[in-house]
Structures are given as C-alpha cells and as structure tokens.
Amino acid sequence: HVAIIMDGNGRWAIKKKVKKSKGHESGVRNCIKICENLNKLDFKINEISFYVFSTENWNRSVIEVRSLFALIEDFYKSFADTAMQKNIVIRHYGSREKLSKKMLKIIDDVVNKTKNNNGIYVNLLFNYGSRKEIEDAAKKIKFSKKKSFNFKDYLYLPNSNDPDLIIRTGGEMRLSNFMLWQSAYAELYFTKTLWPDFKIASLNKVLHNYSKRKRKLGK
C-alpha cells in the first residue's frame, strides 16, 4: 500500500507563471495519469491512496475552495472512466460532513460503478483529516454497545491496509494530519519534486528505494 501526499501544485503554478487553478488542474491530471500507468511499474501495488482535499483546506479562500470543488467534481467523473478501463476499484476515504448532496452523489456513483472491479484499490482521501477520523471513531465507539472492539473497525475505511510507504512531494517534511493512526510503521519518503512533475518513473524510483529498506515493524 503506497500513500501519497500530493503537495506542490501552487508552487508549480508560480514556477510556470500560470494561475494557481492551473496548478491544481495539472495535479489532478497527473494523479489520473499515474493510475493509468501503474502497470508500468517494476513492482506490484495492491493499494494506492491520494490525499486529494484535507479538512484544513476549508480554511482557504472561498474562491479557491469553489474552484477546487469544481475541479474535483470533474476529477471524479474522469477518474471513473479510467478506473473502468484499468479495472480499478475507487474508494472514498474521508468524512461526508460539509459535502453537498451533488458532491456526495458523484462520489457514491463512482464508488458503486467500480466496486465490482478486482484490480488495484485506489483510495481518494477527500475531505479527510486524521484527527477528525480518530475523533469520529471515538464517537462511534462511545455509542456502540460492544464491550470489546478493534479501533480500526471504526475508521473511515476499516478494510484498507495500513500504508507500507508514504510519499510526500513538494519538499515539505511532515505528515500534515495524514493517516496518523495508520502510519505507525510506514516508511516515509520526502522529495522536492512538485506534484505535477512527479511521474510514473518518479514513483518507480521511490519504490526501488523502498525495496532496499529493512522494515523491522517494531521487532
């Protein structure tokens, strides 16, 4: 399971001297392109997660959030076609709070359309924040009548495996409220490459780096 914090769209736009929205658009297109080419990797991935929109992103300007949501709506629709062609299973990984009925319908349609595929699982972490996920899990447990429980069963996507490798593009070296519970023993890889410039060859290079690491998993 490879999880990716897609960072650097805004700085890519500044570098290219284009609008920030163009940076986000290029980032979205890159995400789809990588999923189209996963079969070209030297390694087999069973599950891949993308940090699409965090709960903290709501703090951005209203104009930017609206622009992002319009882009994300198109992203889900375009991604559905790619998923069907590549036998990908798309799963929504995040809170449903604050999302419009229109957005929820788009998400649910894509998830339902691809649920019978049997290829790679692609988790889209949209409206996601790890602290929010943990808080929501605690609330579910509080109202549960079970005397014993597995905490993971109350997370947003309990049947997802913990990430083996977390990649963050853009040069920042932090997790930014991403999969805090699940990343306990994940290997971390940080690269200065801005997300729109992180191609399938870049992912392949990171996987080769990961393959040389010795994972002790607390032992």
Side-chain angles (χ1 to χ4, degrees), residues 7-8 168-171 190-199 202:
D7 193 18
R168 179 169 186 150
T169 63
F190 300 98
T191 174
K192 292 182 180 180
T193 303
L194 303 175
W195 172 246
D197 293 328
F198 188 87
K199 306 303 181 182
S202 310

Side-chain angles (χ1 to χ4, degrees), residues 139-196:
K139 289 175 184 176
K140 292 175 187 175
I141 291 168
K142 180 181 178 180
F143 294 105
S144 174
K145 295 181 180 179
K146 295 181 180 179
K147 292 183 179 180
S148 62
F149 60 87
N150 181 344
F151 189 82
K152 185 180 179 181
D153 291 339
Y154 293 86
L155 298 176
Y156 292 145
L157 199 60
N159 55 340
S160 171
N161 292 316
D162 290 344
D164 299 291
L165 171 66
I166 294 178
I167 301 167
R168 179 169 186 150
T169 63
E172 302 294 348
M173 299 177 69
R174 58 177 180 271
L175 290 178
S176 296
N177 200 18
F178 180 74
M179 288 188 168
L180 301 181
W181 179 272
Q182 299 89 335
S183 65
Y185 289 104
E187 294 291 317
L188 306 178
Y189 188 98
F190 300 98
T191 174
K192 292 182 180 180
T193 303
L194 303 175
W195 172 246

Side-chain angles (χ1 to χ4, degrees), residues 102-153:
K102 179 185 177 183
M103 190 72 241
L104 288 173
K105 185 178 185 307
I106 290 171
I107 292 169
D108 291 340
D109 285 348
V110 172
V111 169
N112 289 327
K113 185 177 181 180
T114 64
K115 68 180 180 181
N116 292 322
N117 290 346
N118 56 12
I120 296 172
Y121 289 102
V122 174
N123 306 317
L124 301 179
L125 283 82
F126 175 54
N127 196 26
Y128 176 84
S130 190
R131 287 182 173 178
K132 170 69 173 167
E133 180 180 28
I134 292 169
E135 289 169 0
D136 285 350
K139 289 175 184 176
K140 292 175 187 175
I141 291 168
K142 180 181 178 180
F143 294 105
S144 174
K145 295 181 180 179
K146 295 181 180 179
K147 292 183 179 180
S148 62
F149 60 87
N150 181 344
F151 189 82
K152 185 180 179 181
D153 291 339

Side-chain angles (χ1 to χ4, degrees), residues 51-82:
Y51 206 2
V52 178
F53 185 91
S54 77
T55 49
E56 285 71 35
N57 288 154
W58 289 104
N59 296 324
R60 296 184 180 185
S61 71
V62 175
I63 293 174
E64 185 176 356
V65 171
R66 284 178 181 171
S67 176
L68 273 171
F69 266 63
L71 188 60
I72 289 168
E73 285 180 11
D74 291 337
F75 167 60
Y76 268 86
K77 292 173 182 175
S78 299
F79 208 8
D81 295 333
T82 297

